[in-house]
Amino acid sequence: NNHEEEDVNIHRADNKQRLLRLNRNIQQPMGPNNHELRIGYMKGINDEARPPSVANPFEGTIECPVRPCTQSLDYNFYIDRLDMLTHIVYAHYSFQIQFAENGDYSVYIDGCCRPSIFKNKFDLPFHLRAGIQIYADGQMGGAPRPYPKQSISVSMPNVVMLRAQGYAYDGCKEFPCEKVGSETVCFLRFMVQTLHPIEEYRSKIGVRMANAGEAGWWRCGGGLDGKAPTSPEWEALCAKQTNALGVSQPAFTALSFSEPVLTSIETRADGDGYHFVKFMVSRTGSLSSQVVGQHSLSLMIDCVGCVNGRTQSIPVEISVDVKEAPSNADPPAFTSNPNPVTDVSGVDHALPVTCPQSAVNIYCGRQQFELGEGGSKYNKDFLRVAFKDVDDGTNIFCDPANPSNIAKKTPQQIKVIQPASTMPAGIEIGNLVSGTALPASYLNRNGAGYVDLTWRPQCENPSDLGLKQLCFTARDSYLIGAMEDTSFNPLWSPPSFLDTSGFTDRSNLDCPIPAGLRSSCIYVNSQAPKTNIAPAFVAPTTVKGRECSAGCCDCCGQENCNCEFTSRCCTILYTTIGRVFKHVVRVVDGPIDAHEADGAAGIFPQRDDHDSYAVFVNFSFPNNIKPSPAVSPMKYGCGDKPYATCVSDPAKKDDTLTELVWDLTGLGFSCFKVGANSSSKCTGTDDTLTCLDGGGTECKKDSVPLPFRVCYQAQEQMAPWVNDQLWRRTYGESPVLESCDVCFKLAIADRPVFLDDDDVSPVQGAVFDIPAGREFKFPITAAAANDAGVVVMSILSDPGAPVGATLGPPRKVLCNEVAPVCELFHQSGYQRHFSFKPLVEHGGKQFQICFRASMQELKAGADVDSQVSEPRCITMRVLEAQVLWDGTSPCITNAAAGTCAPEAHITTTVGCKVAYTLSAKAQLYDLSIKHHKLPTCSSCVSGGLAVQSCSETGNRGPCCGNGHCDGAEMGSNCPADCPVDDSSLRVVQLGSTSNDYVALAEFKWTPTRGMEGRRLLACFAAEDALLGAGIVHMARTPTSAPSFCIVVDVDRCAYCVPDGSSMMYVAKQYVLNVDLLRLYNTNPGVTDPDGVFPYDKLIIGPTYSVHPGDTLLSIAGSAKTTLKAILENNPDILDDADLREGQKVCLLLCSASPVA
């Protein structure tokens, strides 16, 4: 109907999706006068597309969304929105296709016909399509050819309205005109608003005029390529030359299918994706009457090379209305000016201009828009889309075609702001605020208006994610009083047009937009959900009340308790008869560090993950407790305020406060009076007046509930906008998380007790790993609820205490020191400090120590058990320094453990550098790394390897101190026998608490002459800075050892070229005057003897395997070398006694005689 005030949501009345039902009209013969709407698919893409069967143009037509069909004569479109002012319905249709085979396809929608009101292409069918490629791996020459999963989106208003006289912005500047022959032709420019969601394709988008076939001529006989039909079947499509109204007309001509005359596309050369349509709006001459009116503009949006090198094309149909508007100089234009008090074009909170490079960010699941780093340019829970009509009465305008001033109807008002395309699901657009509804502080509120957008993208819906282009259009009006002037010619804002007045939008310098562009689109980047974090407990919840303890043992210290040594003991919280116990629990959607809270109110900043909606706390405890504990209703946003005084704020449900309440004011002592059916309260066992003196019963203590376990857990509440099933299908996990369980034992204190909830004393059964040589210290606090007397604490003789353990003097602690003693324990308790400094010999041992608290003075007549606490026992494990070498580089990984083995075996060459970064760590010990003199490694090689002193070996075999550098000796491990080498160990870092006890050192060494053929050993020991090597665990295992050892096998007959040397130097100096030509021939890989590089490996001769009966002389004779040469190049061989079968000997062949 024509009522503009009609509710735009009428199509969703009664929460039902309304349908637009379109009849397929398949009974009529195929032809240009067939008004049938068709949806279907063709074989091929772009202009190559054909119906699967050319003989049957109906082949491939979709009859219904999903087979089997129930209503084959209709297409039921789902209505998305209504345009009330232009009476246009926006709807969509979803369907499924099962393709018979792989290949290229075009999915299309077309129908007949364009209305006769168009100046061109009237009565022609329309046609829109998108390409799909379906290929399996291994096809098409082995290469699958997938289309991008997202396609180009086009956001254009249903009608682009252009003023025939051009626009009068800024002092009547002329709009572009050209001379075409004797005629003057004038143009306006507007932008084709396209976007590819995938960034790599955006620069590949091009816009061009569609050819006749792409514009729909194929449907009426023109052929897909715009040429004449090539088959009788195609000719039959246009057998009847009548228009949509059934009126006969001449045969179709090329002019019937032509685009508006002199229309062209201008694309900026810098490839930023801005494409402008240059459209003729006026001309002189005989055809001037053909300009004003509606035109059909067919464009093709090409993604060049986007699909396996091919072009993906999408046709776009645009209606352009060139309109006479003599009383209206300008349409509304998008404004990004947020300063209405100082600028006539400003609108408060107007959104700055955006672009794909600088888009507004919003995380799915949240309703907060941010532009710029940290929201520096815009940070609100709404997007304000603002327009301004400059015909607001502040300027005098003129007709650019006629320089004389003419009267304009001013001031004009914004009548409507609406989307220029379908918005993403869930976007809400607020009511228009314009004119006098704006604040009076505006410099000029005439012609200004805005709508606010709110959106909470749905994380579980992939179509809600990614970069979105939201485009808008606005229409102006002129009011006479409160009524719109019906003689006024309103204008709609064109899409992102170019203003020739010299305007440049500088509201967001991160957007490289063209000069003069008045954008009507905003870019919003809807980002995937941030990693969800489980809720966390924070103060005033006690420290122990935040620790995960679901499997804690609640019978520690009791007889027949089976869990004491298999799990941690539950924290014990106490209360007494006659009091109200309260345990406060606060949870936030965390984790959040305490320092993040506001200092004044204790409020935490809102989390920025998707689930920051609400958290709640679940308590569990036995249901047979009498009286039963109760959980107070949850309050929100309390911050540091106590539960009792907090006023809940439902807007802050991600910060929840509650408390467990156990009211024991009804318990104490009771008795029965004569004839009474219920008990009466009395003061104690010596109270005879209440009942006993009157013939009733004695005053006795009420039955006290036994200790019981209480557990609680925090859970996120799923937000009402989240679809749980779709979320799980999309992400494979629940959209909400929960905290761990926190458990404690709640008991009535009817004797002295050790406090667990003072956040410093150890709980029952606690186990501590401690290092030797350092003091281990903790306080232990006890108090009495049933007596105000002094509490004494002691160590039980069984199991006793290790040597060096002490218990400090007692002291009284008050409320301000230990909060739990405030109400329950007469405002005070007693504390002693336990101290233990383990000795080296304690390493690797475990000690249990138990404490007992008792009243210093026993109350007369009181039960002894009521005056003594249950034992409080803890365990201390004194660690040895078990050294791990994980992190050492190069690293030989232990396959079973996945860590670095504490040893390495390498082969190197004289002159080649060896370098290691050593990393040693032992829990709780401050290590340093030192070079190990006289090293030994039992596991490095078969039979082990060691450098031993001659005093250990009795001067037998290789040993350190015999004057010979033999065995595994080298300068760093046996300087008494071996010459000094260049080995160095640089300490990089000492292990400490600040670096997780990791010690680092760098070892560098270069083998020298005299080491050829030898197996050497270098070890590096880790020692504690305080206790040295005495506390280090000495056993070598595949993962740990007291030292890291490197076994080095040095090559025979090979040398590394020293830095800056040539082959001549190696021959004469380094290898003791070997013949240069022989050295050159032995290394065929070296092409230039002067072109060797530092550390290139050169071979000086072959190696010979010793056979039985060989002697040094016999080997020298066979190789034509000398005994001296053999001994010089095999320093591990001193005489024939060192020869073993299979031993390698380096030989310089033919070196006994000069070379001819």
Side-chain angles (χ1 to χ4, degrees):
N1 58 43
N2 294 324
H3 297 290
E4 295 182 355
E5 294 78 13
E6 177 188 359
D7 182 3
V8 296
N9 290 319
I10 193 170
H11 62 288
R12 294 185 182 274
D14 304 323
N15 294 319
K16 295 180 180 178
Q17 176 73 60
R18 299 298 181 174
L19 301 177
L20 175 67
R21 181 169 296 168
L22 302 181
N23 190 276
R24 294 184 53 231
N25 194 25
I26 62 174
Q27 286 82 6
Q28 294 190 24
M30 190 69 174
N33 63 332
N34 186 344
H35 292 200
E36 178 196 350
L37 172 70
R38 250 191 302 164
I39 299 174
Y41 68 92
M42 295 186 289
K43 288 294 294 290
I45 60 173
N46 299 339
D47 287 348
E48 302 168 3
R50 298 286 191 278
S53 171
V54 177
N56 179 14
F58 290 104
E59 182 74 20
T61 301
I62 302 298
E63 299 177 1
C64 59
V66 181
R67 294 178 182 273
C69 300
T70 56
Q71 291 181 326
S72 60
L73 300 183
D74 297 317
Y75 288 126
N76 291 324
F77 281 68
Y78 288 90
I79 296 177
D80 293 316
R81 64 186 178 92
L82 307 177
D83 185 337
M84 298 177 300
L85 295 182
T86 54
H87 313 299
I88 291 178
V89 177
Y90 292 86
H92 72 271
Y93 182 77
S94 300
F95 57 95
Q96 295 180 359
I97 299 175
Q98 183 173 353
F99 295 105
E101 60 184 0
N102 295 320
D104 293 346
Y105 294 90
S106 291
V107 178
Y108 69 90
I109 173 173
D110 65 18
C112 191
C113 296
R114 290 179 173 88
S116 299
I117 62 173
F118 283 136
K119 297 290 184 180
N120 63 323
K121 294 187 288 187
F122 44 85
D123 295 330
L124 285 181
F126 61 86
H127 175 72
L128 299 174
R129 67 173 179 264
I132 298 176
Q133 288 187 320
I134 301 177
Y135 290 102
D137 292 345
Q139 293 189 335
M140 298 296 292
R145 301 168 59 199
Y147 254 57
K149 292 184 178 181
Q150 294 173 290
S151 186
I152 305 167
S153 63
V154 184
S155 301
M156 299 294 292
N158 50 282
V159 176
V160 174
M161 185 175 288
L162 302 177
R163 185 173 184 266
Q165 297 88 354
Y167 301 132
Y169 279 101
D170 194 27
C172 309
K173 290 189 177 181
E174 282 192 287
F175 59 106
C177 296
E178 301 174 6
K179 279 287 186 180
V180 180
S182 61
E183 297 183 3
T184 299
V185 181
C186 300
F187 302 90
L188 288 178
R189 291 172 172 83
F190 64 89
M191 191 171 78
V192 180
Q193 299 170 152
T194 65
L195 174 70
H196 204 300
I198 303 175
E199 184 176 1
E200 63 178 294
Y201 295 119
R202 290 176 197 156
S203 62
K204 301 180 180 181
I205 294 178
V207 180
R208 60 180 173 84
M209 306 293 289
N211 62 38
E214 294 167 332
W217 198 10
W218 72 272
R219 179 76 179 274
C220 293
L224 287 170
D225 53 3
K227 300 178 181 178
T230 56
S231 67
E233 290 80 10
W234 284 109
E235 291 178 2
L237 296 179
C238 288
K240 297 181 179 180
Q241 302 296 336
T242 55
N243 64 14
L245 301 178
V247 179
S248 298
Q249 59 183 26
F252 288 103
T253 65
L255 181 61
S256 305
F257 300 92
S258 66
E259 298 300 335
V261 181
L262 300 179
T263 301
S264 62
I265 308 296
E266 298 177 350
T267 299
R268 281 165 48 94
D270 55 5
D272 54 12
Y274 291 100
H275 311 277
F276 291 94
V277 176
K278 179 184 177 184
F279 202 91
M280 179 178 63
V281 294
S282 71
R283 69 185 298 176
T284 60
S286 60
L287 295 179
S288 60
S289 62
Q290 296 296 314
V291 177
V292 176
Q294 290 201 37
H295 304 261
S296 175
L297 179 62
S298 299
L299 303 177
M300 295 300 294
I301 314 298
D302 295 332
C303 194
V304 181
C306 291
V307 186
N308 204 29
R310 301 179 64 187
T311 297
Q312 179 188 24
S313 298
I314 296 177
V316 174
E317 292 289 333
I318 299 174
S319 296
V320 181
D321 186 6
V322 180
K323 185 177 181 180
E324 295 276 8
S327 61
N328 191 354
D330 300 285
F334 184 91
T335 180
S336 56
N337 189 329
N339 302 308
V341 177
T342 58
D343 194 305
V344 294
S345 66
V347 172
D348 195 26
H349 302 307
L351 177 70
V353 67
T354 59
C355 56
Q357 302 95 317
S358 181
V360 176
N361 285 313
I362 182 173
Y363 280 99
C364 69
R366 300 200 65 207
Q367 190 175 314
Q368 189 70 23
F369 299 94
E370 296 181 358
L371 177 63
E373 186 175 356
S376 58
K377 298 177 182 176
Y378 194 89
N379 191 346
K380 300 186 183 301
D381 59 1
F382 62 87
L383 283 182
R384 179 154 295 175
V385 179
F387 278 79
K388 177 72 174 179
D389 193 325
V390 296
D391 299 331
D392 56 8
T394 59
N395 297 296
I396 297 177
F397 299 100
C398 60
D399 185 347
N402 182 4
S404 63
N405 291 337
I406 62 174
K408 304 298 178 185
K409 291 186 176 181
T410 60
Q412 296 171 18
Q413 307 288 336
I414 299 291
K415 174 64 178 179
V416 65
I417 299 174
Q418 66 181 30
S421 61
T422 299
M423 298 283 103
I427 284 186
E428 299 288 341
I429 302 177
N431 295 327
L432 172 68
V433 181
S434 64
T436 56
L438 294 168
S441 58
Y442 274 44
L443 192 62
N444 190 339
R445 54 186 177 176
N446 292 323
Y450 69 81
V451 294
D452 287 340
L453 275 65
T454 57
W455 187 32
R456 193 188 302 273
Q458 198 174 8
C459 296
E460 59 272 31
N461 184 356
S463 64
D464 271 9
L465 305 179
L467 187 64
K468 308 295 179 184
Q469 183 186 48
L470 312 181
C471 300
F472 296 85
T473 184
R475 201 205 82 178
D476 56 15
S477 64
Y478 178 71
L479 302 180
I480 300 178
M483 301 298 293
E484 186 171 1
D485 182 0
T486 56
S487 66
F488 177 75
N489 294 308
L491 291 174
W492 286 90
S493 61
S496 300
F497 65 98
L498 281 177
D499 178 359
T500 59
S501 67
F503 162 82
T504 299
D505 193 329
R506 300 186 180 278
S507 60
N508 182 3
L509 297 180
D510 291 331
C511 281
I513 62 175
L517 177 68
R518 290 188 178 270
S519 175
S520 58
C521 297
I522 58 178
Y523 293 87
V524 178
N525 187 17
S526 173
Q527 301 191 38
K530 288 191 174 183
T531 302
N532 193 9
I533 306 297
F537 299 106
V538 297
T541 314
T542 61
V543 173
K544 290 188 173 67
R546 308 172 212 170
E547 297 174 348
C548 300
S549 50
C552 70
C553 176
D554 59 1
C555 63
C556 293
Q558 301 176 15
E559 294 183 5
N560 303 318
C561 181
N562 297 322
C563 65
E564 188 167 357
F565 297 103
T566 59
S567 62
R568 60 177 294 182
C569 298
C570 294
T571 296
I572 305 175
L573 303 186
Y574 291 99
T575 187
T576 58
I577 292 173
R579 294 185 178 276
V580 178
F581 169 84
K582 294 183 179 181
H583 182 68
V584 179
V585 176
R586 181 187 177 192
V587 61
V588 296
D589 196 8
I592 295 179
D593 293 333
H595 65 81
E596 294 184 41
D598 180 272
I603 301 296
F604 288 95
Q606 186 182 30
R607 288 294 312 284
D608 58 2
D609 55 357
H610 76 276
D611 64 310
S612 186
Y613 172 67
V615 288
F616 59 95
V617 181
N618 282 326
F619 278 87
S620 63
F621 45 80
N623 57 12
N624 59 350
I625 304 298
K626 301 297 180 182
S628 178
V631 179
S632 300
M634 287 179 286
K635 293 184 178 182
Y636 308 109
C638 297
D640 287 340
K641 294 179 181 178
Y643 183 88
T645 60
C646 171
V647 177
S648 184
D649 182 357
K652 297 178 179 178
K653 288 187 176 181
D654 57 348
D655 188 342
T656 300
L657 184 70
T658 186
E659 59 184 4
L660 179 73
V661 180
W662 194 22
D663 188 351
L664 299 181
T665 55
L667 291 182
F669 291 84
S670 60
C671 59
F672 283 88
K673 295 182 179 180
V674 174
N677 293 323
S678 60
S679 63
S680 299
K681 293 298 177 184
C682 50
T683 60
T685 54
D686 54 355
D687 181 357
T688 60
L689 182 61
T690 303
C691 296
L692 187 60
D693 291 348
T697 64
E698 294 180 352
C699 185
K700 294 183 178 180
K701 187 176 181 181
D702 291 333
S703 176
V704 176
L706 296 175
F708 58 95
R709 182 204 294 256
V710 176
C711 294
Y712 53 89
Q713 181 190 59
Q715 293 180 321
E716 294 173 339
Q717 182 178 343
M718 189 167 64
W721 53 80
V722 174
N723 184 318
D724 179 67
Q725 183 178 2
L726 184 58
W727 184 287
R728 292 176 185 270
R729 190 177 73 182
T730 303
Y731 298 106
E733 62 183 18
S734 172
V736 295
L737 293 179
E738 56 193 28
S739 73
C740 63
D741 286 343
V742 176
C743 298
F744 62 86
K745 184 166 72 172
L746 182 53
I748 295 177
D750 53 356
R751 61 174 65 189
V753 296
F754 290 102
L755 299 185
D756 281 358
D757 58 343
D758 62 354
D759 294 336
V760 289
S761 300
V763 299
Q764 172 71 13
V767 178
F768 299 97
D769 289 331
I770 60 177
R774 283 83 170 169
E775 184 181 28
F776 173 60
K777 188 175 183 179
F778 60 81
I780 186 163
T781 309
N786 56 356
D787 200 314
V790 176
V791 178
V792 296
M793 289 167 284
S794 59
I795 298 176
L796 294 180
S797 58
D798 185 11
V803 175
T806 60
L807 193 59
R811 71 182 187 94
K812 190 173 184 178
V813 289
L814 303 177
C815 263
N816 59 350
E817 297 178 85
V818 183
V821 305
C822 288
E823 293 185 15
L824 192 60
F825 301 107
H826 310 282
Q827 306 293 315
S828 64
Y830 293 85
Q831 190 176 84
R832 299 183 75 177
H833 279 81
F834 172 79
S835 176
F836 175 45
K837 188 175 183 180
L839 304 176
V840 171
E841 53 266 29
H842 290 149
K845 296 180 180 179
Q846 179 172 294
F847 302 96
Q848 186 181 51
I849 186 168
C850 296
F851 305 90
R852 171 160 287 173
S854 60
M855 301 304 300
Q856 188 176 45
E857 296 182 3
L858 295 180
K859 188 176 180 179
D863 184 7
V864 174
D865 288 342
S866 69
Q867 306 295 299
V868 179
S869 73
E870 294 181 351
R872 171 58 53 91
C873 298
I874 66 162
T875 300
M876 299 176 295
R877 297 186 299 206
V878 183
L879 302 179
E880 286 185 301
Q882 190 162 359
V883 183
L884 302 177
W885 297 90
D886 199 28
T888 294
S889 177
C891 167
I892 299 176
T893 303
N894 181 281
T899 59
C900 293
E903 56 211 26
H905 192 160
I906 64 173
T907 299
T908 189
T909 304
V910 169
C912 289
K913 293 185 178 296
V914 176
Y916 269 81
T917 298
L918 305 170
S919 174
K921 175 181 177 178
Q923 184 182 358
L924 302 180
Y925 285 99
D926 305 327
L927 297 183
S928 61
I929 301 175
K930 298 182 178 181
H931 217 134
H932 197 1
K933 299 295 192 293
L934 301 178
T936 180
C937 183
S938 59
S939 58
C940 287
V941 294
S942 177
L945 190 64
V947 176
Q948 296 176 290
S949 66
C950 291
S951 59
E952 292 180 85
T953 64
N955 287 315
R956 292 190 299 271
C959 61
C960 184
N962 62 4
H964 303 288
C965 191
D966 53 5
E969 299 170 0
M970 52 193 296
S972 57
N973 60 32
C974 182
D977 291 350
C978 300
V980 176
D981 53 34
D982 69 345
S983 66
S984 64
L985 182 68
R986 184 177 72 88
V987 175
V988 176
Q989 172 180 291
L990 298 177
S992 66
T993 55
S994 62
N995 55 37
D996 198 25
Y997 299 100
V998 175
L1000 299 174
E1002 291 180 349
F1003 167 65
K1004 293 182 179 180
W1005 168 64
T1006 306
T1008 57
R1009 285 222 44 164
M1011 295 181 176
E1012 303 95 316
R1014 295 179 56 200
R1015 172 168 285 178
L1016 309 176
L1017 178 64
C1019 291
F1020 309 92
E1023 296 183 359
D1024 177 43
L1026 188 62
L1027 301 177
I1031 195 61
V1032 176
H1033 186 68
M1034 300 308 294
R1036 297 190 72 87
T1037 72
T1039 58
S1040 67
S1043 60
F1044 184 88
C1045 292
I1046 307 171
V1047 176
V1048 183
D1049 289 335
V1050 184
D1051 288 331
R1052 298 180 189 273
C1053 281
Y1055 295 91
C1056 279
V1057 177
D1059 192 7
S1061 299
S1062 64
M1063 185 174 282
M1064 175 68 78
Y1065 175 85
V1066 173
K1068 295 298 183 184
Q1069 305 294 329
Y1070 203 50
V1071 196
L1072 301 182
N1073 207 28
V1074 70
D1075 183 81
L1076 174 62
L1077 181 59
R1078 184 179 293 109
L1079 181 62
Y1080 180 63
N1081 291 334
T1082 308
N1083 292 272
V1086 178
T1087 58
D1088 181 3
D1090 293 324
V1092 292
F1093 295 96
Y1095 311 114
D1096 278 353
K1097 186 175 179 180
L1098 296 179
I1099 306 300
I1100 65 169
T1103 57
Y1104 170 76
S1105 294
V1106 175
H1107 291 75
D1110 282 342
T1111 65
L1112 292 176
L1113 287 176
S1114 66
I1115 295 172
S1118 299
K1120 295 184 179 180
T1121 185
T1122 65
L1123 179 61
K1124 179 181 179 183
I1126 291 179
L1127 294 177
E1128 286 178 343
N1129 290 286
N1130 297 274
D1132 59 325
I1133 300 175
L1134 301 179
D1135 51 36
D1136 288 340
D1138 292 327
L1139 293 178
R1140 303 180 306 278
E1141 183 179 353
Q1143 183 179 4
K1144 299 295 183 180
V1145 179
C1146 176
L1147 299 176
L1148 301 184
L1149 299 179
C1150 302
S1151 59
S1153 59
V1155 179

